[in-house]
Amino acid sequence: MKKARVPSGPILSMKDIVKEPQFVERGMFHTACPPGSDHQVSMPAMLPVLSATPGSTRWAGPELGYHTDAILTEELGYTLEEIAELRKKGAI
């Protein structure tokens, strides 16, 4: 590839990307704690990373299932009774 002057580079896994010095130095990852946890997780930063207004990560997002009832009732038209039945069956 180099001999043919084809622009190329390594294909990295997510595990490798978060350790890649260039990405780390450029601040392309932030850490935050998921709700109810003291364990920080690494996640992509707000992009593009701007010097004057770099953005930040304030939280890791809602708990799993936080929006389930709202999506089922408001978006999909399920009744509360139907949702209760889905929970009883272990579907949600």
Side-chain angles (χ1 to χ4, degrees):
M1 297 288 252
K2 283 185 180 181
K3 188 176 180 179
R5 297 179 49 155
V6 175
S8 63
I11 298 174
L12 303 174
S13 69
M14 285 306 297
K15 183 179 178 181
D16 293 332
I17 288 173
V18 297
K19 295 177 185 174
E20 180 65 31
Q22 181 177 356
F23 292 130
V24 172
E25 187 64 32
R26 292 183 69 199
M28 299 189 78
F29 296 98
H30 289 171
T31 57
C33 293
S37 173
D38 293 331
H39 175 72
Q40 289 193 337
V41 295
S42 183
M43 61 188 65
M46 299 295 295
L47 298 175
V49 179
L50 305 173
S51 58
T53 55
S56 65
T57 301
R58 294 181 291 240
W59 64 307
E63 291 184 50
L64 182 63
Y66 180 84
H67 296 101
T68 299
D69 286 354
I71 297 296
L72 291 174
T73 56
E74 298 168 21
E75 301 295 328
L76 300 177
Y78 281 76
T79 66
L80 295 178
E81 293 78 21
E82 290 171 319
I83 295 171
E85 187 61 29
L86 290 173
R87 282 202 171 89
K88 183 177 174 183
K89 292 179 180 180
I92 58 172

